[in-house]
Amino acid sequence: MYNRIDLPLAPSRVAGLAAASPWAMLAMAGLVVAWAGSPWVSLLAPVAGLGALERWRRCGSLSHPRAIVRLTVRGPQLSATLADGSERNVQPLSDSRLSGGYLFLALREASGGQRLLAILIPRSHGGNTPPDALRRLRTWLRLMPEAATPMEGTTTKPIPLKSPWPGGNP
């Protein structure tokens, strides 16, 4: 028997910056290269800026309709509630990153739909989730039951979630 895990997400600047920073850095790099003498690269900046804005809305402010606002584990099934009110059964992908201080969770709808992203950081670190529920979700992901094994992604490693440091999951 499994206990239910209910993980509500709140808007968070830290999570939004973590999600938007790769796109913002790409936009700044495009502007620097354009300033150095390649003006055609300046076209990259608005596209990357829109990517940063979209990631901020999905993971930081949670104002995007497809932003995850709640994760729930019922038995062997993980489900995500989106900002538009719909609830989707999801499976973690092998692209997810698991750590003691944060969780970058890449999800795909169980029906084979779109890919979703959630950045989970404990509220004690300025994040968006209750620390105890996040700890329980991390434990569930590491020891997940057979029915929730990750979908085939870009890699075929036997470890479902990769550790952010060399040496594997502790």
Side-chain angles (χ1 to χ4, degrees):
M1 191 69 181
Y2 299 97
N3 290 330
R4 178 183 163 129
I5 301 171
D6 189 31
L7 189 73
L9 278 72
S12 168
R13 290 183 189 145
V14 175
L17 288 173
S21 62
W23 288 99
M25 302 262 293
L26 182 62
M28 286 188 282
L31 290 174
V32 167
V33 170
W35 179 72
S38 298
W40 60 271
V41 179
S42 64
L43 299 175
L44 175 69
V47 174
L50 288 174
L53 179 64
E54 190 248 346
R55 287 296 171 114
W56 174 268
R57 291 184 61 218
R58 281 190 184 218
C59 297
S61 67
L62 304 179
S63 60
H64 194 279
R66 298 204 38 92
I68 297 174
V69 295
R70 180 177 299 275
L71 289 169
T72 308
V73 175
R74 291 182 205 96
Q77 185 59 52
L78 176 64
S79 62
T81 304
L82 304 181
D84 64 5
S86 63
E87 186 171 336
R88 310 285 169 92
N89 289 332
V90 294
Q91 292 180 327
L93 296 174
S94 60
D95 297 344
S96 299
R97 299 291 184 262
L98 182 60
S99 169
Y102 62 87
L103 175 60
F104 291 160
L105 193 56
L107 303 167
R108 183 168 313 276
E109 294 178 19
S111 61
Q114 280 191 323
R115 181 183 164 118
L116 302 169
L117 175 69
I119 296 179
L120 310 173
I121 302 170
R123 286 194 182 130
S124 58
H125 294 105
N128 56 356
T129 61
D132 187 50
L134 180 58
R135 180 188 52 79
R136 292 176 60 209
L137 179 66
R138 279 195 318 260
T139 303
W140 184 85
L141 287 168
R142 284 185 177 162
L143 305 172
M144 70 177 81
E146 185 72 25
T149 54
M151 299 173 73
E152 291 297 320
T154 57
T155 61
T156 57
K157 293 185 177 183
I159 299 174
L161 298 176
K162 296 180 206 166
S163 177
W165 54 84
N169 290 333

